[in-house]
Amino acid sequence: MAISSAAFAQDTAATLGNPGPSEIQERPQSDDSGTDGDIVVTGIRASLREAVEIKRNAQGVVDAISAEDIGKFPDTNLAESLQRITGVSIDRQNGEGSLVTVRGFGPEYNLVTLNGRQMPTSSLGDGASPPASRSFDFANLASEGISAVEVYKTGRAAVPSGGIGSSINILTPRPLDRPGMRGSIAARGVLDSSQNDGQDITPEVSGVFSTTFGSSDQFGILVSGVYQKRKASVNSGQVGFGNAFLGTENDWGTLGPEGPNVVNRPGPTDVYEIPQEASYSLTDIERERINGQVVLQFRPVETLTATVDFTYSRNRVEARNSSVGMWFNFGDTSTEWTDGPVAGPVFYTERFGPGKDLSYSGSLTANVTENKSWGGNLKWDAPGGVTMTLDAHHSTAESRPTNRFGTSTSVGSAIFGVASQTVDFRNDLPVLSYVMQPGIDALDPSRINATGNSFRNAYFRDEINQIRLNGRYDHDGAFLDSIDFGFSYIENHVRSAYGFLQNDTWGGVGTPADLPDDLFELVTLPDKFPDISGSDQGIIPAYYRFDFERMVDLLDDRFGICGGDGNCLATYDTDRRITEKTVSPFIQFNNEFELLAGPAHIIAGVRYDQTNVSSSALTPIPVGTAWVAAGEFNIIYAADSDFVTAKGSYQNWLPAIDFDMEPVQDVKLRASYSHTITRADYGSLQGGRTFNRQFGITGGGGSQGNPNLIPFLSKNIDVSAEWYYDLSSYISAGYFRKKVSNFINSQEIESSAFDLRNPADGPRFRAAQAALAGSALANDVPALRNYILRNFTNGVEVARDAAGNPILDQNGYYTGRILGLPEDDLVTFRVGTPSNSDQTATIDGFEFAIQHSFWDTGFGTILNYTIVNGDARFDNALDPNIGQFALAGLSDSANAVVYYDKNGLQARVAYNWRDEFYAGGNPNPLYVEAYSQIDASVSYEVRQGLTIFAEGINLTGESRRGHRRSDEFVTFAQPGFARYTGGVRFSF
């Protein structure tokens, strides 16, 4: 049997970053018998066989996925392909794979390279704060232009530094890898059944063309392009909680004493959390993704190859959201709780007097991420067994809004008159319900009143300029096989900016008559949460969504919410600039010798990193405070801001040694030891100090960066045993251990700042308390605000209409702002400042994998299971006032794949599972619950080169859910839906 283009990756790391001949070659298009009687293996089986060859011949622990054919990757999304690899799990956003976790280390701990080049990363995060992540978003890349992805789980001196979880190298095809003309074009339609309005089929078109020419095929050109459009919806039931409390605490927001209205109150040492807000939201998404690449190659002589390439990707996402929500004031409540030590709510009900709002909110965001990379490479096979490679690239990644509203928006409206509202936590979906005051209909659009709004504007740009000179000396000696050496210089320029525009008219602005009834559309809710428990238990039946653009224009015209010109893009008042310059030489010795019955290898090397950091931050200057609503306080800023610059530096020696041997034929034993690093996130490196714009009655928060942070350092041990009992079949078992230090802790320091005063903690507030003492309103915050607005003039701004009359809310209370005065008490801020701690954590685990081909039947299977353990886990029952050290992302995972590939027919069914994991948050943790899904694909080669195919993702419509300290503390619940694809591909 002849194997089509078997991978010749005797040492994959030695060629990592040399964009010359690809590790993984393309193969012929047919599965027919060759003219000489040999069988040419293509498709799924060839892809798996090549992955086996890479794993077997590589030094250290390396896994790979290769294209089944030119322009045909196993999955349409790179992240969803990577999750099939042992130890790799993914996070999904908008129903698609986006971020990758390897061996329990999240996306920020993994380095992603393109053909060995360090790539810039860009995302807007939540869009409501300055972006700060180094995480690579795989949703920006379509898989059709990719030839292979390699995952390096062990450190190597020849592999760039930056990933303690893994280094993930994305390979793209090169025309001179295989002379001649070849190509592929595919068209498909995608139906995402999650769509709330209609079931539109969206197009995807991809193509790749490669050819060589000249008297000896010394010239080559490759062009690839992908266009994808997708419509989807994400529906969510969500609950927001405030801070956690011990049962002994007695503060604003804590539970009252045990009694008829508080059943099974948490005990003195029990931990609990109170719901602060809850909502149902529907988000409709339109995504447009464009990828393209051009590669030019010239090989004037056999020993010299020049390559010039340009890679481009653009990912536009528009998300239109509407929601119905409720906020809690921690007043007249009825509730029941589960037993401790972590007490969870069974239900939580709050009753109100006249004027409580039921919120109908909307948002619209339209953002784009654009990546560009220009590169050049010169590879020379010099005399004397020396190979030299010079590589340079200029790459940028940029994320920004594409509309006039910003990256995160919220425009509010409400019907006032809620008598009581309840959240029931006894189902997967939080069950939200309300009772209105007599005579008030929550579904009467003529009662809807405009309220507050906010427009947040974030921007992120990352630019990397890199030059590398790598060499390899092949030695003919008996022990030393080769020497790899090299030098890299990287300049990384990052800009993260953010602006904020908010109108705090949450008690209402104007009257319902300002909003025409035809602005609103009635939306039903129970049908938007199918097959998730709780959707049939009396949830809010319907609500009103509105035309977002029309609403904003109307409010801007009448009330000037964006200044009256229709442009709601906030000016950047937070602007952070970071420059990292890294010099990184390395040397690596590759040794080969005979041991027992077979060959053995020792690869030993060291990489040195020297990084200088310069961080500048434009920070707004606070000049005052304002109490704008019952529980809302804002910082007032001056018009001017100042740049503050700080600098830092660090260096690391990163040794690595790999050993492998073949004690008996086809059995391989491996052992590796290495040091790897991951650099701090950009937010932690910022040079300035910023405060949260909003604070509470008890104080506020803020953050301050530290450019002197040193990277996370991991000392890694890997051992494994592998038995390759057939060309595409093997069994492997491995153990890994990572001891990580230099963790970053955010130490919160309580202090005042800029002489900012708390309007709800001073003589006026205490006078209001004294005046209302003994009445039912003594502890009613809106009533206390009303007293101050009516009875004081200094530092009080009463909202008035055009006639000069006070504007009243639904309770008949005055509205307006109460400013902080010098006689008020100081606001206490908890400012988090990052620093490297002396804490260490050990993560270890086991990886098991089986890949088996059932002889020549065409059937095969892939099974793998990963166990991840860590000694730094979050203790849910610990006093929430005590900070904890915990590692996010640790979870077990598994994959099971069954496939058939023969006679032009390919079929595959894949099952993926990830156990529950801690997703971060301290002192208030978030857990994402266990999730699994089933995918399937089938294709048939109608005639040589012409294939029809179909694919289904999440066929059983599995839902996703997250919670805080216990299952009852649900934070989000989202129903799952299947996505279907069908199309045709022509290859030549």
Side-chain angles (χ1 to χ4, degrees):
M1 177 180 290
I3 304 170
S4 169
S5 61
F8 41 88
Q10 296 300 316
D11 180 9
T12 51
T15 55
L16 177 65
N18 301 336
S22 173
E23 303 285 351
I24 300 174
Q25 306 295 314
E26 301 296 344
R27 62 193 66 81
Q29 314 305 315
S30 172
D31 195 29
D32 299 333
S33 296
T35 57
D36 59 357
D38 289 338
I39 298 176
V40 179
V41 179
T42 64
I44 296 175
R45 288 186 293 164
S47 171
L48 294 176
R49 186 171 296 180
E50 291 178 352
V52 169
E53 286 294 317
I54 289 178
K55 182 177 181 67
R56 179 172 184 171
N57 294 322
Q59 304 300 317
V61 181
V62 180
D63 286 294
I65 297 177
S66 65
E68 297 169 11
D69 203 344
I70 184 171
K72 182 177 184 293
F73 214 68
D75 296 271
T76 56
N77 179 287
L78 276 185
E80 289 166 356
S81 289
L82 284 169
Q83 71 176 333
R84 318 293 181 198
I85 291 178
T86 310
V88 178
S89 51
I90 66 174
D91 292 331
R92 291 174 170 83
Q93 295 181 0
N94 302 332
E96 286 188 294
S98 175
L99 304 174
V100 170
T101 295
V102 181
R103 290 179 165 180
F105 284 94
E108 65 274 20
Y109 296 102
N110 298 298
L111 176 70
V112 177
T113 58
L114 179 67
N115 297 314
R117 300 165 176 164
Q118 183 174 329
M119 284 292 101
T121 62
S122 181
S123 68
L124 293 173
D126 59 6
S129 58
S133 176
R134 293 182 187 263
S135 303
F136 187 87
D137 188 351
F138 284 87
N140 294 324
L141 293 180
S143 63
E144 287 84 351
I146 306 302
S147 63
V149 180
E150 301 168 331
V151 180
Y152 292 79
K153 299 178 182 177
T154 52
R156 299 289 299 278
V159 175
S161 65
I164 63 177
S166 69
S167 294
I168 301 173
N169 187 36
I170 302 170
L171 296 170
T172 57
R174 297 289 188 251
L176 294 184
D177 288 354
R178 183 179 166 207
M181 181 184 296
R182 58 197 176 103
S184 169
I185 186 169
R188 72 190 77 199
V190 179
L191 172 62
D192 194 315
S193 63
S194 68
Q195 297 175 70
N196 287 323
D197 299 315
Q199 294 290 290
D200 293 344
I201 296 176
T202 54
E204 295 187 0
V205 180
S206 62
V208 56
F209 173 79
S210 175
T211 188
T212 57
F213 52 94
S215 58
S216 57
D217 285 320
Q218 67 267 39
F219 296 96
I221 182 171
L222 182 145
V223 179
S224 66
V226 180
Y227 175 82
Q228 298 177 339
K229 192 172 184 179
R230 178 179 170 230
K231 290 185 177 181
S233 297
V234 176
N235 303 332
S236 183
Q238 49 212 23
V239 181
F241 293 88
N243 290 325
F245 301 102
L246 282 178
T248 54
E249 293 186 69
N250 182 19
D251 201 349
W252 187 71
T254 59
L255 289 173
E258 175 81 18
N261 289 337
V262 181
V263 178
N264 197 31
R265 190 191 190 281
T269 60
D270 293 342
V271 180
Y272 71 98
E273 300 176 53
I274 298 289
Q276 191 168 28
E277 54 91 14
S279 64
Y280 294 126
S281 68
L282 310 182
T283 304
D284 298 323
I285 300 161
E286 290 192 24
R287 188 261 290 157
E288 181 187 64
R289 183 165 61 194
I290 297 175
N291 284 189
Q293 186 177 54
V294 177
V295 182
L296 303 176
Q297 286 191 293
F298 174 49
R299 187 177 291 157
V301 294
E302 191 63 28
T303 58
L304 183 64
T305 303
T307 303
V308 177
D309 57 84
F310 173 69
T311 303
Y312 176 82
S313 71
R314 188 187 73 190
N315 192 28
R316 292 180 181 267
V317 179
E318 180 182 278
R320 191 176 294 270
N321 172 273
S322 62
S323 66
V324 53
M326 50 184 65
W327 286 80
F328 293 92
N329 294 340
F330 314 123
D332 182 8
T333 62
S334 295
T335 183
E336 182 179 348
W337 295 79
T338 64
D339 294 335
V342 178
V346 177
F347 73 89
Y348 188 86
T349 298
E350 189 165 356
R351 292 169 290 274
F352 310 95
K356 176 65 174 67
D357 64 310
L358 178 68
S359 171
Y360 295 155
S361 297
S363 70
L364 174 63
T365 58
N367 303 321
V368 63
T369 295
E370 194 170 32
N371 300 272
K372 301 175 184 178
S373 179
W374 297 88
N377 181 272
L378 191 64
K379 183 179 179 182
W380 177 38
D381 295 325
V386 175
T387 300
M388 299 298 298
T389 302
L390 177 65
D391 187 87
H393 75 101
H394 166 75
S395 301
T396 61
E398 183 182 40
S399 298
R400 63 186 186 277
T402 59
N403 65 15
R404 56 190 173 93
F405 305 114
T407 55
S408 174
T409 63
S410 178
V411 173
S413 65
I415 286 185
F416 293 88
V418 175
S420 67
Q421 58 192 32
T422 299
V423 183
D424 192 303
F425 296 90
R426 285 172 283 197
N427 296 273
D428 288 341
L429 182 72
V431 176
L432 279 57
S433 60
Y434 59 79
V435 175
M436 303 300 290
Q437 299 284 355
I440 297 180
D441 181 4
L443 299 182
D444 179 0
S446 67
R447 289 184 172 272
I448 301 177
N449 203 110
T451 59
N453 46 76
S454 62
F455 302 88
R456 301 172 178 90
N457 185 20
Y459 174 84
F460 192 88
R461 187 178 190 274
D462 187 2
E463 175 187 310
I464 290 182
N465 298 305
Q466 181 179 16
I467 185 169
R468 293 172 300 145
L469 180 64
N470 288 352
R472 182 179 178 92
Y473 167 64
D474 290 311
H475 184 64
D476 294 331
F479 180 73
L480 178 63
D481 179 67
S482 61
I483 301 174
D484 292 314
F485 53 93
F487 172 87
S488 170
Y489 174 74
I490 299 176
E491 281 193 8
N492 183 20
H493 301 279
V494 175
R495 182 189 180 196
S496 173
Y498 174 71
F500 185 95
L501 173 64
Q502 179 160 312
N503 296 283
D504 296 302
T505 52
W506 304 108
V509 58
T511 69
D514 292 317
L515 306 180
D517 291 355
D518 64 358
L519 185 65
F520 301 95
E521 178 186 3
L522 189 67
V523 180
T524 57
L525 274 175
D527 59 305
K528 305 302 190 298
F529 296 90
D531 303 320
I532 182 169
S533 68
S535 61
D536 59 351
Q537 298 297 309
I539 70 172
I540 295 173
Y543 72 100
Y544 279 103
R545 67 183 175 191
F546 50 79
D547 183 324
F548 183 86
E549 295 94 324
R550 187 179 167 197
M551 172 73 89
V552 172
D553 289 342
L554 187 154
L555 296 178
D556 193 37
D557 181 61
R558 296 193 181 182
F559 305 107
I561 64 171
C562 297
D565 60 358
N567 181 14
C568 300
L569 285 176
T571 302
Y572 300 136
D573 53 23
T574 297
D575 197 341
R576 301 169 180 171
R577 318 284 179 92
I578 297 174
T579 297
E580 294 176 326
K581 298 180 180 180
T582 300
V583 175
S584 184
F586 77 91
I587 188 167
Q588 178 176 285
F589 298 91
N590 310 308
N591 308 290
E592 182 176 0
F593 55 97
E594 294 293 321
L595 182 63
L596 299 179
H601 303 85
I602 294 178
I603 294 183
V606 64
R607 175 179 286 269
Y608 173 76
D609 275 0
Q610 168 70 47
T611 300
N612 295 319
V613 181
S614 176
S615 178
S616 300
L618 180 70
T619 56
I621 302 173
V623 294
T625 59
W627 187 5
V628 297
E632 297 180 26
F633 301 77
N634 285 347
I635 296 176
I636 302 171
Y637 290 94
D640 298 327
S641 300
D642 282 336
F643 265 105
V644 178
T645 301
K647 296 185 178 182
S649 64
Y650 55 84
Q651 51 279 325
N652 293 95
W653 290 94
L654 304 173
I657 183 168
D658 293 307
F659 167 77
D660 72 70
M661 62 179 294
E662 198 166 327
V664 297
Q665 186 175 357
D666 299 325
V667 173
K668 204 151 199 176
L669 304 180
R670 303 181 191 271
S672 300
Y673 177 80
S674 64
H675 290 189
T676 53
I677 62 171
T678 286
R679 294 173 174 86
D681 67 272
Y682 297 123
S684 298
L685 294 172
Q686 61 147 321
R689 181 172 61 162
T690 58
F691 298 94
N692 299 339
R693 290 178 173 271
Q694 292 180 307
F695 61 93
I697 197 169
T698 58
S703 62
Q704 179 172 314
N706 179 5
N708 279 298
L709 292 172
I710 60 177
F712 301 87
L713 174 65
S714 178
K715 299 179 179 180
N716 317 300
I717 296 175
D718 285 83
V719 293
S720 64
E722 302 152 9
W723 176 31
Y724 298 90
Y725 58 89
D726 198 4
L727 290 173
S728 56
S729 302
Y730 73 93
I731 299 175
S732 70
Y735 170 79
F736 62 88
R737 181 178 183 272
K738 296 176 179 287
K739 187 173 183 179
V740 186
S741 58
N742 300 337
F743 280 98
I744 298 174
N745 280 350
S746 181
Q747 182 181 4
E748 288 193 341
I749 299 174
E750 289 192 358
S751 67
S752 59
F754 295 96
D755 198 39
L756 296 177
R757 301 287 171 162
N758 189 342
D761 191 8
R764 293 171 299 177
F765 187 79
R766 287 187 278 273
Q769 287 180 314
L772 299 178
S775 73
L777 302 176
N779 295 313
D780 185 82
V781 175
L784 295 169
R785 265 180 50 85
N786 177 62
Y787 182 90
I788 296 173
L789 288 167
R790 286 178 179 270
N791 293 279
F792 290 88
T793 57
N794 188 23
V796 169
E797 298 177 354
V798 176
R800 299 183 183 276
D801 59 21
N805 300 313
I807 298 175
L808 306 181
D809 66 13
Q810 299 295 320
N811 291 319
Y813 291 164
Y814 274 30
T815 60
R817 300 198 309 172
I818 302 172
L819 305 180
L821 296 177
E823 57 264 30
D824 292 328
D825 293 343
L826 291 166
V827 180
T828 300
F829 290 95
R830 291 185 175 183
V831 179
T833 303
S835 61
N836 292 108
S837 72
D838 57 2
Q839 295 167 314
T840 62
T842 299
I843 296 174
D844 66 347
F846 297 89
E847 295 181 337
F848 305 96
I850 299 174
Q851 181 172 303
H852 181 71
S853 176
F854 292 95
W855 309 284
D856 60 352
T857 65
F859 286 97
T861 186
I862 304 169
L863 306 171
N864 59 58
Y865 191 92
T866 302
I867 301 171
V868 180
N869 301 305
D871 61 1
R873 294 184 179 269
F874 197 90
D875 184 352
N876 294 317
L878 192 66
D879 184 343
N881 299 302
I882 299 175
Q884 296 193 48
F885 170 62
L887 292 176
L890 303 186
S891 65
D892 297 347
S893 60
N895 289 282
V897 178
V898 177
Y899 66 86
Y900 176 82
D901 180 8
K902 193 173 184 181
N903 300 323
L905 177 64
Q906 296 184 29
R908 182 186 60 173
V909 178
Y911 170 82
N912 173 261
W913 168 83
R914 184 181 185 183
D915 202 1
E916 179 174 296
F917 64 94
Y918 166 66
N922 190 355
N924 301 307
L926 170 64
Y927 296 90
V928 177
E929 297 181 5
Y931 176 82
S932 64
Q933 75 174 42
I934 296 175
D935 307 329
S937 63
V938 61
S939 67
Y940 180 67
E941 191 174 31
V942 178
R943 64 177 182 84
Q944 183 173 341
L946 182 63
T947 302
I948 57 175
F949 58 88
E951 181 183 57
I953 302 295
N954 193 17
L955 290 173
T956 56
E958 297 301 315
S959 59
R960 301 178 69 245
R961 189 176 189 269
H963 62 258
R964 295 275 277 257
R965 279 181 161 79
S966 72
D967 290 346
E968 290 80 17
F969 290 111
V970 58
T971 55
F972 73 88
Q974 299 172 344
F977 299 88
R979 184 170 76 247
Y980 305 99
T981 301
V984 59
R985 178 184 297 105
F986 177 67
S987 301
F988 56 91

